[in-house]
Amino acid sequence: MERTLVVVKPDGVQRGLVGETLRRFEARGLKLIGLKMLVVDRDMAERHYAVHRGKFFYEGLVSYITSGPVVAMVLEGPEAIAAVRLMVGKTRPYESPPGSIRGDFALAGLRNLIHASDAPETAATEIALWFKPEELHDYARDVDRWIYE
């Protein structure tokens, strides 16, 4: 099983899209193993976006993610990273197809509603940044045999 981090960004929280976002992931068959709401401070934002440090858009990313509450979640399932990335859509919302979260709910620029890990290594690093081990819950779901087998 693969794990991935998803963050509903401040615009998604402000627009009331947290429930719809989580609903889509659960309906797809992904298992929610961690969930919390928080306000990201500058230090955490800088660590999260460290790979973009020095790029022209870095300060905008940090300002955006710290501008209001976010909802972070860890999802688990086979090929979870690729499945979530397809469901989220492209970084630029106007390039995202209808049916994706960004394609259905976002329109422009940085206001792209959601962050999703892009690779197993990134997911592991991001999950460790956003969640303590005791905040992640392993549990069996009876429905998994209908989804995964």
Side-chain angles (χ1 to χ4, degrees):
M1 286 298 154
E2 192 171 68
R3 291 180 173 182
T4 189
L5 176 79
V6 172
V7 179
V8 179
K9 296 177 182 178
D11 57 328
V13 172
Q14 290 292 327
R15 293 179 54 199
L17 295 172
V18 174
E20 174 62 18
T21 300
L22 180 54
R23 184 201 65 78
R24 287 181 180 217
F25 293 133
E26 287 187 314
R28 180 79 185 262
L30 293 158
K31 180 166 71 170
L32 179 67
I33 64 167
L35 179 69
K36 64 179 161 181
M37 181 179 225
L38 67 151
V39 175
V40 179
D41 63 26
R42 183 164 183 94
D43 177 61
M44 184 171 179
E46 288 177 350
R47 286 185 286 147
H48 180 74
Y49 288 124
V51 68
H52 299 302
R53 192 180 319 269
K55 296 178 182 172
F56 74 93
F57 55 84
Y58 175 76
E59 280 302 321
L61 288 175
V62 170
S63 293
Y64 169 43
I65 200 76
T66 60
S67 66
V70 301
V71 172
M73 62 186 83
V74 178
L75 301 169
E76 183 178 82
E79 305 299 327
I81 294 167
V84 166
R85 298 280 296 177
L86 283 172
M87 292 176 71
V88 166
K90 299 195 177 277
T91 300
R92 294 179 184 92
Y94 61 86
E95 295 176 350
S96 295
S100 68
I101 293 166
R102 290 176 177 152
D104 288 351
F105 301 114
L107 187 59
L110 287 176
R111 301 298 184 254
N112 62 8
L113 303 174
I114 193 166
H115 165 82
S117 301
D118 63 1
E121 302 78 22
T122 309
T125 300
E126 291 178 345
I127 291 167
L129 175 63
W130 288 78
F131 285 86
K132 297 174 188 166
E134 62 270 17
E135 294 176 318
L136 301 177
H137 306 281
D138 286 318
Y139 60 98
R141 294 185 309 181
D142 291 338
V143 72
D144 286 348
R145 68 186 180 100
W146 299 103
I147 298 170
Y148 305 142
E149 293 177 6

